[in-house]
Amino acid sequence: MSVPAFAALLERLVFTPGRNAKLALLRDWFATQPDPDRGVGLAALTEELVFTAAKPSLIRDLVAARTDPVLLALSHDYVGDFAETVALIWPVRAGVNTPPPALSEVVEALELTPKPELPALIGGWLDTLDSSGRLALIKLITGGLRVGVSGRLARVALSEWSGKPVEEIEEVWHGVAPPYLALFRWLEGNADKPDPREAPVFRPLMLAHPLEDADVAALRPEEWRAEWKWDGIRVQLTAGPGGRRLWSRGGEDITNAFPEIAEAMEFHAVLDGELLVIRDGVVAPFAELQQRLNRKAVTPRMMRDFPAGVRLYDLLFEGGEDLRPLPFDARRARLEDWVARIAPARMDLSPQIAFGSVAQLAEIRDGARAASIEGLMLKRADSPYAAGRQKGLWWKWKRDPLSIDAVLMYAQRGHGKRSSFYSDYTFGLWRPDGEGGEELVPVGKAYSGYTDEELAWLDRWIRNHTTGRFGPVREVEKSLVLEVIFDAAQLSSRHKSGVALRFPRIARIRTDKPASEADRLDNLMSYVERRAPAEEDAAG
Amino acid sequence: MPPHPESWLRVTPQGLYCEPGGFFIDPVRPVGRAVITHGHADHARPGHDAVLATPETLAIMRARMGEGAAGAAQQPIRPGEVLEQGGVAIRLAPAGHVLGSAQVVLDWQGSRAVISGDYKRQRDPTCAPFEPVPCDVFVTEATFALPVFRHPPPEAEVAKLLKSLALFPERTHVVGCYALGKCQRLIRLLREAGWDAQIHLHGALASLCRLYEELGVALGPLAPATVANKAALKGAIVLAPPSAVQDRWARRLAEPVVAVASGWMRVRQRAKMRGVELPLVISDHADWDELNRTIDEVGAPEVWVTHGRDDALVHALALRGIRGRALHLVGLGEEDEGPAPEVAEPASAAEGGVQA
């Protein structure tokens, strides 16, 4: 009964917004499903298993042979999604009493069946399933599950279910393959931890805590090393005889999205660094890197317009030697030596910043206004490379946020605990409307930063000042000013205002300020910084 | 040759009108004489002079509108009884939609029309099952007349709810359901599935549940879902009108799992748009297969469609040689499972939402 069971899981996951609830659903799946289906399901959810054998046209032909064209068109028009239309409209065939296929059976048959026989095979499966089973099967075999389960979330669920630390699971994850029999045997205590041997695996990253004002005073400068905190995405590079991989912070394999980096990884080592778009040694704003993210295919043009590079922070393995237990200073020396020797293309060292006192460091931090720098990283000179967020070893010290006074324009209800509150706010700034007057243009959306009391107040205000409703969105009277803080402002062609904010959140409700005195778009534009500091500046 | 029903049953601005009998069926405005199929507000409206309906429907109308508005003169008629009005024989037959719901069977000079009102063919422990009556013209609803609407067995949907409660025993499971019919059917289905615990009700559902019990439909232990009762709501089932499940009222619930019981839940986008976490496909209307099967069973050569997806149904009927006619009656399909308003997002809000 495993395709129906998988379909039931998918259905719950699709509708479940909460992370904890998703984890509970996944734990239940691991606990109740038999091998090999639980592993096949896991691989399908995390998109480790992707099928291409069945094209959408195959499904279209199957359903066309079974339905009236007018009714199919009316139905498709109503439902919107074609796969779902097929799943719902598929006529029940009387007398079918074959049990639905197991997930593993589907996977195996798709690999072994000659192409001309696929339609009959898939049509036969669809006959045995109910509508949610049909939808799951169609989405599975045409490769579009999209249920919001990242590999990271799945590994956290495996950890919660088995009691094994998530870091250990991370380390073996990329060395095991669907249906993960060895992994499950280990997690259930029936076998040793799988040995990835030469396979390129992800090593959990060491993370930093935000530095609070109270912690600053306690810092002894001689014990700490400082670097810029670059605004890109944190990556791990793994290369050796077993292959080359570029991992995201959460352990997702993003190698294919950055082929030029993979090509440059002609070494045997594991490195920690920041992936950035770098032009002539100058780091571009995050928005440019974003053009390269979440894309299936990379065009030569993308690679030319947004050239990727890695600024190296740390060396975890050199050859087969695990450097992680060494103190930071020793690893840094090894890293500098390694970079000098290997001189890998598209990579450079993240420079260290010299400082004599905490006060001087604070000055340096406040002076860094480039959009490509988020602030400073502080690393204890004697810290080993420890997985996860260990307090007191690494600090991130972000620069003070920027701020604007914006006018609330639209509000939307949140999810989960906030589903009865208008908690997502679209805000705007004034600009000339071209007819001698002023108009508001939306510049961003924020859903954090406020206290519970402020949220309740805003919710009440919005309900009492609604001027229009568009489904879940309420338009409000343009009279409430919010102080919005954000980390950076960057030019963006995807926004009507032409500017995008990094991490905007609500700092204060300005009931004292009339809307007409809110900021103008020009004020925000003055914050936009397109260039990174020159290298000598960064090297400080 | 008997007269065609077209000559004695007409569409007027007030609704369907039987000319020789001088009465309307489910009129949308106050009239002198009305025959009412069932108690939903889009079919049973206040202010008529004389009202003919089943005793249950009359009781529901009195409960919802108050004695004065539910018809100056109420005349109960039980299924099977025949009444003559201006030469037209009037009879009611169970429609299986909600308690008291009935089809109106009209015979005049050897010609018969059956007006279904809203109906379904699925089992419903709170009302009498639909009875097919052969006729010359069958006047049907078409709320779910698209072949994508095929309601699964309601027992399986209730099982989903109970499975979710087992998986999330700390969370309140709040189910949005219509006050008349769906609510009580859901309670009975839960009882049949072995859920003996108290079921908590939003205030708007309480009076009709009491009425159902008075009319002989036992519902088991019920309690109000009041703020004072907050502790008891952990892991409880709470029923509420669909509009309340995600609004301020719901803040009294413990980390609620939001479910909605409706035929519309069959389409994912509908459910997602409304932020429903647990869609339950339970409907009191005939689905595509039930509509077509019913039309075949009554054997009418001609079918009139009052409201809903008449385009798809009329097309499907034509394929089988049945003459279909869309009546486009206004005002129907506005209570219970009437289509939800379409959602349009303002472009600017959507754009402002793109985040770096």
Side-chain angles (χ1 to χ4, degrees):
Chain A
M1 285 295 284
S2 88
V3 168
F6 184 64
L9 172 67
L10 277 186
E11 199 165 280
R12 280 309 304 259
L13 285 172
V14 162
F15 290 111
T16 298
R19 180 181 145 91
N20 286 339
K22 279 195 171 113
L23 287 169
L25 293 165
L26 291 170
R27 289 197 304 268
D28 183 60
W29 173 261
F30 301 139
T32 56
Q33 295 302 308
D35 284 322
D37 271 29
R38 68 174 162 185
V40 175
L42 172 59
L45 289 176
T46 57
E47 293 180 28
E48 301 277 327
L49 262 186
V50 178
F51 300 97
T52 47
K55 295 271 175 291
S57 64
L58 183 156
I59 305 291
R60 204 170 298 131
D61 293 345
L62 282 176
V63 75
R66 285 163 171 80
T67 49
D68 174 78
V70 173
L71 294 176
L72 180 60
L74 286 172
S75 296
H76 184 197
D77 197 43
Y78 178 80
V79 174
D81 182 65
F82 192 70
E84 188 177 358
T85 308
V86 175
L88 294 176
I89 204 173
W90 191 266
V92 177
R93 256 183 60 201
V96 173
N97 54 9
T98 328
L103 266 185
S104 46
E105 196 182 322
V106 170
V107 174
E108 197 175 320
L110 283 178
E111 269 169 25
L112 301 178
T113 308
K115 216 163 186 168
E117 291 168 33
L118 276 176
L121 176 75
I122 293 168
W125 284 335
L126 291 171
D127 281 338
T128 67
L129 293 162
D130 69 2
S131 64
S132 67
R134 289 190 292 263
L135 183 59
L137 184 73
I138 295 169
K139 293 268 181 189
L140 186 69
I141 63 184
T142 55
L145 282 181
R146 286 196 291 271
V147 288
V149 173
S150 65
R152 170 74 189 171
L153 190 77
R155 295 190 282 279
V156 170
L158 283 170
S159 164
E160 289 183 355
W161 163 68
S162 66
K164 295 267 196 287
V166 69
E167 291 80 16
E168 283 193 44
I169 297 173
E170 298 275 12
E171 288 218 5
V172 298
W173 176 257
H174 293 284
V176 293
Y180 309 114
L181 298 180
L183 178 75
F184 280 111
R185 271 202 301 277
W186 166 57
L187 292 175
E188 289 183 314
N190 298 327
D192 288 341
K193 189 156 120 181
D195 178 4
R197 294 172 210 278
E198 293 276 286
V201 295
F202 172 69
R203 316 282 171 176
L205 295 180
M206 179 159 178
L207 304 172
H209 272 275
L211 185 68
E212 308 294 342
D213 291 342
D215 303 315
V216 176
L219 287 180
R220 306 230 311 252
E222 64 277 12
E223 290 176 352
W224 293 88
R225 305 290 174 257
E227 289 171 55
W228 294 115
K229 182 169 176 13
W230 298 99
D231 189 16
I233 65 168
R234 186 87 180 275
V235 287
Q236 182 173 98
L237 292 73
T238 304
R244 300 174 185 184
R245 295 285 186 282
L246 187 63
W247 309 109
S248 74
R249 191 171 172 281
E252 308 298 324
D253 183 351
I254 55 169
T255 318
N256 292 337
F258 297 93
E260 72 266 53
I261 302 291
E263 196 188 310
M265 288 164 63
E266 302 219 2
F267 46 74
H268 187 185
V270 177
L271 295 133
D272 186 345
E274 193 85 10
L275 185 67
L276 301 159
V277 166
I278 306 179
R279 259 185 230 105
D280 306 323
V282 177
V283 177
F286 184 80
E288 299 202 26
L289 177 61
Q290 219 173 16
Q291 304 287 327
R292 294 282 309 263
L293 300 175
N294 302 320
R295 288 185 187 267
K296 279 211 170 111
V298 196
T299 61
R301 192 200 159 110
M302 298 282 314
M303 294 205 286
R304 194 190 62 222
D305 291 352
F306 304 102
V310 178
R311 195 141 281 178
L312 298 171
Y313 292 138
D314 217 319
L315 181 62
L316 279 59
F317 281 73
E318 186 176 357
E321 187 191 357
D322 188 351
L323 308 185
R324 290 177 295 174
L326 299 181
F328 176 76
D329 273 352
R331 292 201 310 279
R332 175 77 195 189
R334 293 280 295 259
L335 175 66
E336 287 177 9
D337 174 61
W338 183 88
V339 170
R341 222 171 347 105
I342 308 285
R346 297 187 174 277
M347 292 169 214
D348 59 11
L349 270 174
S350 171
Q352 288 194 310
I353 300 165
F355 63 100
S357 67
V358 173
Q360 189 194 352
L361 199 57
E363 241 170 70
I364 293 171
R365 181 191 77 128
D366 295 339
R369 298 282 21 150
S372 56
I373 287 178
E374 285 186 287
L376 291 175
M377 284 294 302
L378 300 181
K379 300 177 177 177
R380 254 186 87 110
D382 61 356
S383 57
Y385 193 95
R389 213 182 286 276
Q390 313 247 0
K391 195 140 195 180
L393 297 183
W394 284 10
W395 297 109
K396 54 183 169 192
W397 197 14
K398 285 199 182 186
R399 62 184 188 189
D400 292 333
L402 302 165
S403 134
I404 45 166
D405 288 334
V407 181
L408 179 63
M409 300 180 71
Y410 305 97
Q412 194 169 354
R413 282 195 281 197
H415 291 292
K417 276 194 184 124
R418 288 194 190 156
S419 60
S420 72
F421 289 96
Y422 284 86
S423 61
D424 299 7
Y425 311 118
T426 300
F427 48 86
L429 299 177
W430 297 106
R431 73 170 174 195
D433 63 3
E435 289 164 21
E438 294 262 273
E439 63 172 5
L440 279 171
V441 57
V443 294
K445 195 172 177 181
Y447 30 80
S448 63
Y450 39 70
T451 63
D452 286 353
E453 290 71 36
E454 285 171 326
L455 175 61
W457 188 93
L458 282 163
D459 181 71
R460 225 172 15 251
W461 190 91
I462 287 155
R463 289 169 192 271
N464 293 334
H465 295 83
T466 299
T467 58
R469 294 178 188 224
F470 310 88
V473 177
R474 285 193 189 213
E475 181 169 9
V476 297
E477 207 174 88
K478 310 298 183 299
S479 59
L480 184 67
V481 177
L482 300 173
E483 183 184 335
V484 178
I485 54 173
F486 51 97
D487 288 354
Q490 299 169 349
L491 293 182
S492 164
S493 55
R494 295 195 299 152
H495 290 69
K496 193 173 172 183
S497 60
V499 59
L501 306 183
R502 282 285 276 162
F503 192 36
R505 60 261 189 210
I506 307 296
R508 220 149 44 105
I509 305 170
R510 297 288 308 263
T511 46
D512 56 317
K513 198 166 197 179
S516 58
E517 287 174 26
D519 279 316
R520 311 184 73 259
L521 187 58
D522 287 348
N523 302 123
L524 178 59
M525 282 302 180
S526 70
Y527 286 137
V528 171
E529 291 176 64
R530 310 182 60 186
R531 310 242 101 197
E535 288 308 284
E536 62 272 24
D537 182 14
Chain B
M1 191 174 161
H4 189 280
E6 239 165 17
S7 66
W8 55 275
L9 197 56
R10 291 193 296 114
V11 177
T12 71
Q14 291 97 318
L16 210 51
Y17 179 61
C18 174
E19 202 153 8
F23 58 85
F24 294 84
I25 296 110
D26 292 348
V28 293
R29 296 180 206 162
V31 298
R33 274 198 288 263
V35 181
I36 304 296
T37 59
H38 65 283
H40 279 141
D42 51 340
H43 292 259
R45 300 195 184 238
H48 307 309
D49 292 336
V51 173
L52 184 72
T54 62
E56 294 84 358
T57 296
L58 292 175
I60 289 165
M61 288 175 72
R62 285 194 300 272
R64 303 190 95 183
M65 305 168 185
E67 296 278 345
Q74 290 203 333
Q75 184 172 1
I77 175 173
R78 289 174 192 288
E81 291 175 5
V82 182
L83 200 120
E84 193 154 311
Q85 177 74 35
V88 181
I90 309 170
R91 176 162 82 80
L92 299 184
H97 177 56
V98 298
L99 182 61
S101 68
Q103 312 167 67
V104 181
V105 183
L106 302 177
D107 285 284
W108 193 62
Q109 298 185 354
S111 141
R112 176 182 287 169
V114 172
I115 298 101
S116 73
D118 291 337
Y119 65 101
K120 70 170 173 290
R121 307 300 301 272
Q122 269 190 345
R123 191 180 73 87
D124 183 341
T126 67
C127 64
F130 180 94
E131 179 193 308
V133 180
C135 53
D136 301 303
V137 164
F138 184 60
V139 184
T140 185
E141 61 141 321
T143 306
F144 290 111
L146 273 178
V148 291
F149 290 110
R150 291 202 307 257
H151 310 321
E155 295 79 13
E157 300 298 291
V158 165
K160 271 188 205 168
L161 175 61
L162 295 179
K163 181 167 184 230
S164 181
L165 272 155
L167 201 55
F168 301 106
E170 296 291 296
R171 300 176 68 186
T172 303
H173 282 59
V174 57
V175 187
C177 57
Y178 304 97
L180 170 57
K182 186 71 61 64
C183 166
Q184 298 77 20
R185 183 182 180 207
L186 202 53
I187 294 173
R188 281 298 294 258
L189 287 167
L190 281 162
R191 299 306 183 204
E192 287 178 4
W195 186 265
D196 298 327
Q198 250 177 8
I199 293 173
H200 298 262
L201 299 178
H202 182 285
L205 307 182
S207 65
L208 280 167
C209 285
R210 266 197 306 278
L211 181 63
Y212 261 62
E213 296 227 68
E214 282 166 25
L215 293 172
V217 180
L219 299 176
L222 304 175
T226 52
V227 181
N229 226 344
K230 191 160 183 172
L233 299 182
K234 255 187 173 184
I237 295 178
V238 175
L239 306 185
S243 58
V245 293
Q246 283 183 306
D247 216 337
R248 280 176 284 186
W249 171 84
R251 290 182 195 165
R252 67 194 64 186
L253 309 176
E255 274 190 82
V257 172
V258 174
V260 166
S262 161
W264 300 112
M265 291 296 109
R266 176 131 166 120
V267 177
R268 265 188 187 187
Q269 204 46 39
R270 285 252 180 190
K272 282 212 87 161
M273 210 167 69
R274 292 175 57 177
V276 175
E277 193 169 343
L278 184 63
L280 303 174
V281 188
I282 302 178
S283 175
D284 286 332
H285 290 268
D287 68 8
W288 177 253
D289 291 340
E290 293 171 49
L291 289 168
N292 282 286
R293 180 183 125 209
T294 302
I295 288 164
D296 290 342
E297 281 178 17
V298 299
E302 186 167 328
V303 171
W304 299 353
V305 185
T306 53
H307 62 289
R309 289 305 299 250
D310 48 45
D311 51 355
L313 190 57
V314 168
H315 172 80
L317 294 178
L319 295 177
R320 313 206 281 279
I322 300 170
R323 191 177 157 219
R325 177 184 159 205
L327 300 184
H328 305 298
L329 291 188
V330 293
L332 293 181
E334 285 172 3
E335 210 201 350
D336 76 318
E337 288 171 272
E342 294 303 326
V343 166
E345 285 213 23
S348 48
E351 246 183 278
V354 178
Q355 272 221 354

